[in-house]
């Protein structure tokens, strides 16, 4: 057996706000009939009172239907109910005027007798409230301050004209216009605020769903970026070693077999790394990447100098800098015709800086400053408040510059282990 209130607790926040808004405006119809009916029944004869009650119920029903359709439009479930809004406006004016004529039939509205004053007061109250509540239901289907102001002023003018046509003197009719305009304006403001609140909640719910979809898309981009980082260097090495093996084979050199064995090893390693990326377990190891970069560049005939040590760096810093080493090594192999490359890792008490500098950049326009790989590195570094600078060394207008420098800097928190600077040590030349 369900506990009391379980249906409400089971609703989402958006559904609760929508239910509250609908319940509020549907209750206005009940309030309209409940407030006016007793007063009219007390001062009217039975036949007139039943007719007035029928008019009130008709107006309340039309108001509830128009309000429900308007809220469906606000929630995006149907097209804008312009027809229902037009019917609501026309029904409000018509029912209010007919109600005034019926309840004041045979009375002198200019100077009623003491016995007739109660009936006139009840009739005037019903006339005003029908206009005010009708405006509230009408406002639900409107958008923008101009439309709402026009509706309020239009119904206020109709109220004054209708009262004058029904026999109300000019001054009381003018007062009726002002009263209906003010009362309708208040009701329209309340309705507009309720619609605004419901709209904001719906938009927040949609934004939450969008954020979830963006998180999925971001994870897909991260996955693609990781695959690029994993396969980029290895494929470049495979291509290089395969080309070397072909040349050696043409010369009938036995070293070709050794190169193909190395290609096989790198291909198998790439398979393993791709599987680890798919499983989400792979983290770049800075020490391994530094050694691997030196070995790959040396095998490609590039003089590689490596200085600094990764010992003692936080794991998250080593991981992101490992990706930097991997991507920059790939770029050195792919772009230009480098002969020398220097990789330096320097640590201070506040930051660690990794620089990769190579020559052979014969065309600065081909420098990978805006490539997918470097963009991915900037994203990784941004997660640790780090920065990445890449470009030819020297003046910005330098043409044909032969040196390209990549600088990655990651700040270190005070509580990171081993805050002392790492002594610069030349690992290899």
């Amino acid at each position: 057996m369900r506990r009391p209130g379980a249906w409400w607790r089971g609703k989402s926040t958006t559904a609760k706000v929508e239910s509250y808004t609908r319940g509020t405006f549907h209750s206005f119809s009940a309030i309209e009939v409940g407030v006016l009916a007793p007063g009219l029944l007390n001062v009217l004869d039975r036949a007139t009172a039943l007719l007035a009650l029928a008019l009130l119920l008709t107006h309340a029903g039309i108001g509830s239907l128009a309000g429900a359709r308007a809220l469906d439009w606000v929630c995006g479930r149907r097209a804008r109910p312009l027809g229902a809004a037009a019917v609501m406006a026309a029904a409000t004016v018509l029912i209010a005027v007919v109600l005034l004529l019926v309840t004041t039939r045979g009375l002198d509205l200019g100077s009623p007798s003491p016995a007739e004053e109660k009936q006139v007061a009840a009739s005037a109250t019903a006339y005003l409230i029908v206009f005010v509540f009708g405006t509230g239901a009408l406002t639900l289907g409107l958008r923008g301050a101009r439309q709402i102001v026009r509706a309020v002023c239009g119904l206020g003018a109709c109220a004054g004209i209708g009262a004058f046509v029904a026999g109300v003197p000019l001054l009381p009719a003018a007062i009726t216009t002002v009263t209906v305009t003010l009362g309708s304006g208040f009701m329209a403001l309340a309705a507009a605020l309720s619609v605004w609140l419901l709209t904001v909640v719906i938009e927040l719910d949609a934004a939450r769903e969008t954020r979830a979809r963006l998180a999925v898309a971001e994870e897909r981009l991260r996955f693609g970026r990781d695959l690029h980082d994993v396969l980029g260097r290895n494929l470049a090495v495979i291509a290089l070693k395969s080309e070397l093996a072909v040349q050696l084979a043409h010369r009938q050199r036995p070293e070709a077999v050794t190169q193909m064995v190395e290609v096989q090893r790198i291909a198998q390693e790439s398979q393993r790394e791709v599987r680890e990326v798919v499983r989400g377990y792979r983290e770049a190891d800075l020490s391994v990447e530094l050694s691997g970069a030196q070995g790959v560049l040396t095998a490609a005939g590039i003089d590689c100098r490596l200085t600094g040590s990764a010992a003692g760096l936080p794991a998250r810093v080593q991981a992101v800098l490992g990706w930097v080493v991997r991507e920059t090594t790939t770029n050195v192999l792919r772009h230009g015709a480098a002969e020398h490359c220097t990789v330096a890792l320097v640590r201070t008490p506040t930051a660690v800086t990794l620089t990769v500098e190579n020559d052979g950049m014969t065309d600065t326009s081909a420098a990978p400053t805006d490539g997918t790989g470097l963009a991915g590195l900037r994203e990784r570094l941004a997660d640790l408040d780090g920065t990445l600078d890449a470009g030819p060394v020297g003046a910005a207008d330098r043409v044909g510059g032969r040196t390209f420098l990549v600088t990655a800097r990651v700040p270190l928190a005070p509580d990171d282990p081993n805050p002392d600077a790492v002594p610069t040590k030349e690992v290899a030349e």
Side-chain angles (χ1 to χ4, degrees):
M1 182 177 180
R2 297 183 64 183
R3 298 175 57 184
W7 67 274
W8 176 259
R9 290 190 295 270
K11 290 178 175 289
S12 64
T13 301
T14 304
K16 289 180 180 179
V17 174
E18 180 184 350
S19 299
Y20 170 78
T21 304
R22 288 182 181 275
T24 299
F25 284 99
H26 286 315
S27 68
F28 286 167
S29 299
I31 293 173
E32 179 182 3
V33 176
V35 169
L36 297 179
L40 294 176
L41 292 175
N42 289 334
V43 297
L44 300 176
D45 59 84
R46 183 176 181 180
T48 304
L50 290 177
L51 179 58
L53 182 59
L55 291 172
L56 290 175
L57 289 174
T58 301
H59 184 260
I62 295 175
S64 291
L65 180 60
R69 289 179 174 270
L71 290 175
D72 285 342
W73 167 60
V74 172
C75 295
R77 300 192 183 99
R78 66 165 63 241
R80 188 175 183 180
L82 296 176
V87 170
M88 185 71 237
T92 296
V93 175
L94 181 61
I95 290 176
V97 172
V98 172
L99 183 63
L100 181 62
L101 292 173
V102 168
T103 56
T104 59
R105 184 176 51 185
L107 301 179
D108 184 3
L109 298 181
S111 55
S113 64
E116 298 172 342
E117 288 181 353
K118 288 184 178 182
Q119 185 175 347
V120 171
S123 300
T125 301
Y127 185 74
L128 296 175
I129 288 182
V130 166
F131 269 102
V132 171
F133 279 72
T135 304
L138 174 63
T139 303
L140 294 177
L142 302 179
R143 279 285 173 85
R146 290 185 178 181
Q147 292 185 356
I148 295 175
V149 170
R150 289 172 184 172
V152 170
C153 294
L155 287 178
C158 290
I161 295 172
F164 183 74
V165 171
V168 177
L170 182 58
L171 181 58
I175 295 175
T176 299
T177 298
V178 175
T179 304
V180 169
T181 302
L182 293 177
S184 298
F186 176 79
M187 181 62 72
L189 179 62
L193 290 176
S194 297
V195 170
W196 172 80
L197 176 62
L198 178 58
T199 303
V200 169
V201 172
I202 293 174
E203 290 177 352
L204 287 176
D205 188 62
R208 190 180 302 112
E209 294 181 0
T210 301
R211 184 176 62 182
R213 290 195 296 269
L214 288 176
V216 174
E218 182 179 357
E219 180 61 20
R220 290 174 178 172
L221 290 175
R222 183 202 64 79
F223 180 75
R225 182 183 64 198
D226 288 353
L227 285 180
H228 173 273
D229 293 341
V230 166
L231 294 178
R233 186 195 66 176
N234 290 349
L235 290 178
V237 175
I238 289 174
L240 180 66
K241 287 185 173 293
S242 298
E243 181 181 358
L244 178 59
V246 169
Q247 294 177 0
L248 292 174
H250 285 162
R251 299 172 185 175
Q252 298 182 352
R253 298 283 297 276
E255 291 86 349
V257 176
T258 303
Q259 294 298 326
M260 291 309 300
V261 170
E262 184 67 11
V263 168
Q264 182 183 28
R265 183 192 66 78
I266 296 175
Q268 292 173 346
E269 181 182 352
S270 298
Q271 288 180 326
R272 177 183 59 79
E273 290 178 344
V274 168
R275 285 194 295 268
E276 290 177 349
V277 169
V278 172
R279 294 170 185 169
Y281 294 143
R282 189 180 190 281
E283 286 292 345
D285 185 277
L286 182 55
S287 298
V288 174
E289 295 298 332
L290 288 172
S291 300
Q294 186 181 34
V296 168
L297 294 175
T298 301
I302 300 174
D303 179 23
C304 180
R305 293 171 58 89
L306 180 65
T307 61
S309 172
L313 287 176
R316 64 184 187 279
V317 176
Q318 289 203 41
V320 71
L321 291 182
W323 287 113
V324 174
V325 172
R326 169 163 290 197
E327 177 62 27
T328 52
T329 302
T330 302
N331 290 337
V332 170
L333 292 172
R334 287 180 175 177
H335 304 284
E339 296 180 359
H340 303 279
C341 181
T342 301
V343 181
L345 184 66
V346 179
R347 179 173 179 174
T348 67
T350 59
V352 58
T353 303
L354 173 70
T355 60
V356 180
E357 184 175 4
N358 65 278
D359 59 4
M361 297 304 299
T362 56
D363 182 5
T364 55
S365 64
T369 54
D370 297 320
T372 303
L374 294 184
L377 293 181
R378 288 190 175 93
E379 294 176 5
R380 293 178 183 275
L381 288 165
D383 293 338
L384 299 180
D385 296 326
T387 59
L388 180 73
D389 296 319
V393 175
D397 59 349
R398 181 178 177 181
V399 179
R402 296 183 56 80
T403 302
F404 191 82
L405 176 65
V406 176
T407 303
R409 184 179 184 277
V410 180
L412 296 177
D415 56 348
D416 282 336
N418 192 17
D420 298 330
V422 175
T424 301
K425 181 181 68 172
E426 186 169 290
V427 178
E429 295 186 15

